[in-house]
Amino acid sequence: MFATVVDPAEADALTGGYHGDAFRILGPHVVAPDAKGGAQWEVRAYLPQAAGVEVLLDGAAAAMKPVHPLGLYSATLPGDPHAYRLRVLRKDGAAEEIDDPYRFPPLLSDFDLHLHGEGTQHRSYLTMGAHLVECEGVAGVRFAVWAPNAEVVTVVGDFNQWDARRHPMRARNGGVWELFIPGIAAAAAYKYNVRSRVR
């Protein structure tokens, strides 16, 4: 199944901070073959602090195009999805290279979620909260929280200027939300921003 163009309503929900499945939009996605039948994929990133963004891979840079005025960017690339980084040109003129949190897989195992769901995860302090980990050779922090009535949960902290739209988490089974954010150091201040479902 190929990814399709982002629906404007979904883009509005993502940039507005109320989209419950950010991974369906952000990160790498296989798209329909090009006109010659060659494989291609698309990277999408939500970076409202950026004046411009490039995808860095295989020693080259590809400019990302804005697809929403509030900071959603996209780039279509040849071949199959693989590891990449992003170069973010900030509005103050500085540039930084980052790893995209939305290119990484879930880290909590299905077994951990099963134990949590049946109430037999007696060491939940090892799975919930914030933990320094490494994923695919990249150091960062794995965040996990139980919020079964949430529509969306985001991580906020100094690393994203306390912007509740920037790092929406992935919904897992049993009301658990998870996100690996690369590049965060030990003792970084953070909170969870929980948006409850409308009843």
Side-chain angles (χ1 to χ4, degrees):
M1 167 113 15
F2 298 124
T4 58
V5 175
V6 178
D7 179 89
E10 285 201 283
D12 286 343
L14 179 75
T15 58
Y18 56 92
H19 195 290
D21 187 7
F23 279 83
R24 193 170 76 210
I25 296 177
L26 300 177
H29 297 271
V30 175
V31 296
D34 63 23
K36 297 181 180 179
Q40 56 181 4
W41 56 298
E42 186 173 67
V43 173
R44 302 185 199 125
Y46 176 53
L47 297 160
Q49 80 280 20
V53 187
E54 294 176 321
V55 179
L56 306 176
L57 73 164
D58 304 329
M64 300 186 78
K65 297 178 181 177
V67 295
H68 191 283
L70 294 182
L72 182 60
Y73 293 85
S74 175
T76 302
L77 307 160
D80 297 311
H82 55 284
Y84 63 89
R85 302 191 83 211
L86 300 174
R87 180 184 292 135
V88 181
L89 175 63
R90 298 200 310 254
K91 293 175 182 176
D92 63 7
E96 61 180 335
E97 292 185 14
I98 63 170
D99 285 289
D100 181 6
Y102 298 93
R103 79 168 175 87
F104 294 94
L107 299 182
L108 290 177
S109 71
D110 290 337
F111 185 62
D112 284 329
L113 296 174
H114 170 76
L115 293 178
H116 184 272
E118 70 175 13
T120 57
Q121 175 55 280
H122 301 301
R123 300 196 304 164
S124 59
Y125 58 88
L126 295 177
T127 54
M128 298 292 112
H131 296 271
L132 292 169
V133 298
E134 190 174 287
C135 182
E136 299 179 1
V138 178
V141 175
R142 185 200 68 220
F143 295 93
V145 64
W146 185 57
N149 294 317
E151 177 184 44
V152 61
V153 182
T154 60
V155 184
V156 295
D158 293 330
F159 46 85
N160 61 15
Q161 294 74 52
W162 298 93
D163 186 339
R165 304 166 301 161
R166 291 268 299 278
H167 286 104
M169 302 176 78
R170 172 189 270 123
R172 304 290 308 277
N173 293 335
V176 174
W177 296 75
E178 177 190 13
L179 183 66
F180 171 69
I181 304 181
I184 298 179
Y190 77 95
K191 291 184 179 182
Y192 296 114
N193 184 77
V194 181
R195 181 186 175 104
S196 297
R197 292 192 189 99
V198 177
R199 295 191 180 272

